[in-house]
Amino acid sequence: APCPPTARSTRAPMAAPFKSTPCTDVLPPSLLAQLAALTPAQLESLSPAERAEIWAALDAHEAALAAGEKPSGLVPSPEARADPRVFAEEVFGLRIWRKQAELLDAVRDFDRVTCSSGHKTGKSTSFGVLGWWWTSDPDARPGARCAMSSASARQVKKILWREVRALWRRARDRGYDLGPEPALDPETGVQWDDGRELFGFTARDPEKAAGTPRAHHPFLPDGAGGSPDDTLEASEGDRAG
């Protein structure tokens, strides 16, 4: 629920960063980054005019929340575009647990990653996060093309692609513009004007794993044990360019 407006006279002196402020999870990332970068000593050294400017920004944000308004036009911070774990927390407001963090960190740091399967572990959500993260930075990954697959068409559409669409709506509600709304059909996916793509297909159709070779083309198979060898080989051939 939105944090209620707080009267200026009841606020404590600005003597420490705002990490404990109840509303920090919905403040604009740019303002959060500025506040988080300040040490207690720096906060205490702010001039009255600088403090007034910060309070005005907080007041305006709280008033917008109280009026039911939502932020819009936000873009992921440089830190989020560089790190899928930060991306998940900042853009989607997700709380990542330890095993999800290990998977996201591994995909960030290594070219090939495998993980054990499991139920209700957040794996499909992690795949959705990785798909959106990978295609979120056209400067670092121009023409990025992210393919997601599972053993059956039902699993692709009802599990993987459902997560992709839910994450897009979650980001939109938090004010982030990730791009076009995902199509209902995973194979249509998400297509940007600059050539980026995010899409899903069944692992039983290896031809879908192949395509135009690109430098930034990850393949995310959910349940690779159920993927035929020719599907994995097609993906590897695509990666090789």
Side-chain angles (χ1 to χ4, degrees):
C3 300
T6 305
R8 186 185 305 276
S9 60
T10 64
R11 286 180 169 141
M14 189 184 298
F18 286 82
K19 292 180 180 178
S20 62
T21 302
C23 286
T24 53
D25 61 336
V26 292
L27 286 173
S30 57
L31 180 56
L32 274 178
Q34 294 175 44
L35 295 177
L38 296 176
T39 65
Q42 289 174 321
L43 285 166
E44 289 189 353
S45 68
L46 291 175
S47 68
E50 290 172 324
R51 294 190 183 201
E53 183 178 351
I54 292 176
W55 288 135
L58 291 171
D59 282 339
H61 185 71
E62 289 176 351
L65 288 175
E69 297 178 11
K70 295 180 180 178
S72 62
L74 300 179
V75 295
S77 67
E79 293 78 12
R81 294 196 299 272
D83 189 328
R85 194 198 306 194
V86 178
F87 191 87
E89 295 170 348
E90 176 186 305
V91 177
F92 303 121
L94 298 177
R95 299 194 177 198
I96 301 300
W97 76 291
R98 179 172 56 86
K99 287 299 183 180
Q100 280 181 302
E102 290 177 5
L103 174 59
L104 298 179
D105 290 349
V107 173
R108 178 197 63 200
D109 297 335
F110 300 98
D111 290 337
R112 289 175 174 81
V113 176
T114 60
C115 68
S116 300
S117 181
H119 297 290
K120 304 299 182 181
T121 61
K123 179 165 52 68
S124 298
T125 299
S126 298
F127 274 34
V129 168
L130 287 168
W132 283 117
W133 171 71
W134 191 264
T135 54
S136 71
D137 193 344
D139 295 326
R141 296 178 287 275
R145 184 173 187 258
C146 184
M148 311 171 72
S149 79
S150 194
S152 70
R154 178 188 174 280
Q155 287 174 296
V156 173
K157 187 169 186 177
K158 298 298 184 181
I159 299 176
L160 279 179
W161 202 247
R162 181 178 181 182
E163 288 288 346
V164 169
R165 288 175 54 81
L167 288 171
W168 182 87
R169 291 192 297 269
R170 190 180 182 108
R172 178 201 60 192
D173 292 344
R174 290 172 59 81
Y176 285 89
D177 180 10
L178 295 182
E181 181 175 3
L184 291 173
D185 182 4
E187 291 189 13
T188 301
V190 186
Q191 300 184 26
W192 286 263
D193 291 339
D194 60 11
R196 286 174 290 156
E197 290 182 82
L198 172 59
F199 63 98
F201 65 95
T202 173
R204 300 297 175 184
D205 190 350
E207 293 183 359
K208 295 291 193 310
T212 304
R214 305 185 190 189
H216 305 292
H217 181 180
F219 176 47
L220 303 176
D222 185 7
S227 300
D229 290 342
D230 49 0
T231 297
L232 299 177
E233 289 173 3
S235 173
E236 284 299 305
D238 200 15
R239 284 169 52 89

